[in-house]
Amino acid sequence: MFTTTATIDPAFVIAPVPPRLFGSFVEHMGRCVYGGVYDPGHPAADADGLRTDVLTLTKELGVSVVRYPGGNFVSGYRWEDGVGPREDRPVTLDTAWRSIERNTFGLNEFMAWSRLAGVEPMMAVNLGTRGVEDACNLLEYSNFTAGTRYSDLRIAHGVRDPHNIRLWCLGNEMDGPWQIGQKTATQYGQLAAETAKAMRRIDPDIELVACGSSNERMPTFGSWEAEVLDHTYEFVDYISLHAYFEQTPDNRAQFLASAHTMDTFIEGVIATSDHIGAKKRSRRKLKLSFDEWNLWYESRFAGQDNLDWTEAPRLIEDEYTTEDAVVVGSLLMSLLRHADRIGVACLAQLVNVIAPIRTEPDSAAWRQTIFHPFALTARHARGEVLRVEPVTPTAHGTDRTGAPAVDVTATRDPETGALTLFALNRDEHDSGRLDLRLHTDENLHVVEHLVMGGGDLLATNSQAAPDRIAPRTSTHHEITADSRLTIDLPPVSWSIVRLEPVPAG
Ligand code: AHR
């Protein structure tokens, strides 16, 4: 057993926990929409075809904001095809995923679903095959009160009140060769700036996200952000980040260190954004929208070109292990550590497609392993994120990443004094003892200590065994009168420990 020490001090505040940190993503892709959130034939569907079991799990997951309708899908999408009487909607080709799109679910159905799920919508406009005019038309349809062509069209479609959608993505992954309508940074930067200007004229209260690189491995990473922000800095509020991680037969230690890769990525984008801000002598600091992140076993995906024009095909329905849940928990810790700069983050995606929630036509929806760290973090990361600087050895692993063995993140609710600790032990062999000094005024006691991992790392949840893997309660902690807390962290595990002030008397 090795030891990690750290101090928890309520004065070391990074930032309040951003409510939009716990977002997710619904794309017209595979069975995320059709057969996922929307499935009129399923016994759990309501009168509008929305699956109530998925709604229930979405609420339990604690999702605050949901990005829609893509993803790659949006870059070939005509939003008008998905509004109005269903019988008049065309059947179209989804060129992103070589699928047949029936358009029976569109903007107004998504907004109805969002209201039932209690989530804020985050809409993406098509800057792949379309441009300024169509983005403005969609905004007019969504947010303008009445008396114009598109606002009256919305009213004619039975939606009297404007949707008032605040968050808008200016396209998706526009640097990607796989993207319909891929652009250079200059082309995209100019288009995004002009679209942003025009959209803000229609609704000055919207918040806009410019596309950053599709991932950190893109050859133009860094220069893409710089060029795009050179054009858009004054007109947007966020620059986006996307990242997917996967374990391969020879990268286990690197996989367990994914949160450190994520930290470096986030800090690189902050540096680039602030460099452009400084160059422009701007007083604004842009926020980051980490609007796609998750684990994706991309090496198992044959690629878009091998898809064959079917409706709602089973696409990238990855089944996640306990070890995957440990890594997802650690990625949430990385997001929390950057709460001062990340304004939005979306776990991609919500249902079936690399998702925490899975469905089949013949059973109730179930929780994948990764559902649990997300739900627990969204529920209990409350108040302010505290800076924690653990002193910890380097993890022993199958390869040498130099990553620290233990990560610790803490949030504290200044109203109640409740403290939540998140801890990751990425060491593949040894248990760790976490020795914390709590510099809190209140006497705290542990009210809950849950662990994922530390054994059974390859186990998954499935339709046949939907509840096989869930967090388990641990008693391996001790708190002393002089506010020292020790917590045992099994090898390859993610833990959440909740403390509350000892009730008076
Ligand atoms: O989430 C799946 C896909 O990953 C999205 O459509 C795209 O934006 C990203 O490449």
Side-chain angles (χ1 to χ4, degrees), residues 60-276:
E60 185 186 318
L61 189 61
V63 170
S64 51
V65 57
V66 175
R67 182 166 174 255
Y68 174 84
N72 296 342
F73 172 80
V74 78
S75 295
Y77 183 48
R78 290 171 41 84
W79 64 270
E80 305 91 318
D81 294 341
V83 293
R86 279 211 174 93
E87 59 279 14
D88 297 343
R89 297 187 197 175
V91 176
T92 53
L93 295 180
D94 160 12
T95 41
W97 301 112
R98 286 176 55 98
S99 303
I100 299 295
E101 171 61 56
R102 292 218 157 260
N103 287 299
T104 48
F105 188 96
L107 171 66
N108 294 320
E109 287 79 22
F110 174 69
M111 291 306 298
W113 178 86
S114 298
R115 271 188 294 277
L116 290 173
V119 303
E120 179 186 2
M122 179 185 198
M123 197 61 56
V125 301
N126 173 355
L127 293 189
T129 58
R130 306 185 101 185
V132 183
E133 184 176 343
D134 294 304
C136 288
N137 294 345
L138 172 57
L139 180 61
E140 180 186 325
Y141 183 94
S142 303
N143 285 13
F144 205 76
T145 314
T148 64
R149 183 190 344 190
Y150 288 104
S151 58
D152 283 347
L153 186 62
R154 182 196 68 239
I155 294 166
H157 291 161
V159 184
R160 195 173 52 97
D161 294 328
H163 291 309
N164 277 327
I165 299 167
R166 299 266 66 83
L167 264 176
W168 293 83
C169 302
L170 298 165
N172 176 71
E173 296 190 349
M174 299 308 307
D175 59 335
W178 57 88
Q179 202 67 218
I180 305 293
Q182 181 196 5
K183 300 194 168 31
T184 65
T186 310
Q187 289 166 338
Y188 171 70
Q190 288 171 345
L191 177 59
E194 293 310 315
T195 308
K197 269 160 57 183
M199 288 177 78
R200 275 204 204 286
R201 291 249 171 98
I202 296 173
D203 186 343
D205 295 332
I206 55 176
E207 295 170 55
L208 294 169
V209 184
C211 290
S213 299
S214 296
N215 59 63
E216 200 194 6
R217 298 178 310 277
M218 296 300 288
T220 50
F221 171 61
S223 61
W224 169 275
E225 281 77 0
E227 176 73 12
V228 166
L229 289 176
D230 233 345
H231 294 281
T232 58
Y233 199 89
E234 291 84 357
F235 307 116
V236 302
D237 306 284
Y238 301 86
I239 179 85
S240 76
L241 297 82
H242 291 180
Y244 293 101
F245 301 91
E246 78 178 301
Q247 184 168 182
T248 58
D250 56 1
N251 82 341
R252 185 163 185 224
Q254 208 183 321
F255 176 66
L256 292 170
S258 296
H260 274 260
T261 310
M262 190 137 157
D263 287 344
T264 312
F265 180 27
I266 291 169
E267 285 151 27
V269 176
I270 292 172
T272 307
S273 175
D274 288 354
H275 163 67
I276 301 301

Side-chain angles (χ1 to χ4, degrees), residues 25 27 29 71-72 97 172-173 178 244 292 296 349 354:
F25 176 34
E27 175 166 4
M29 175 181 178
N72 296 342
W97 301 112
N172 176 71
E173 296 190 349
W178 57 88
Y244 293 101
E292 286 185 36
W296 175 1
Q349 299 187 7
I354 45 172

Side-chain angles (χ1 to χ4, degrees), residues 314 319 358-366 460-468:
R314 286 176 181 268
E319 193 168 274
R358 282 291 316 273
T359 66
E360 286 296 340
D362 55 353
S363 71
W366 71 94
T460 60
N461 290 339
S462 62
Q463 186 180 20
D467 298 316
R468 186 191 293 138

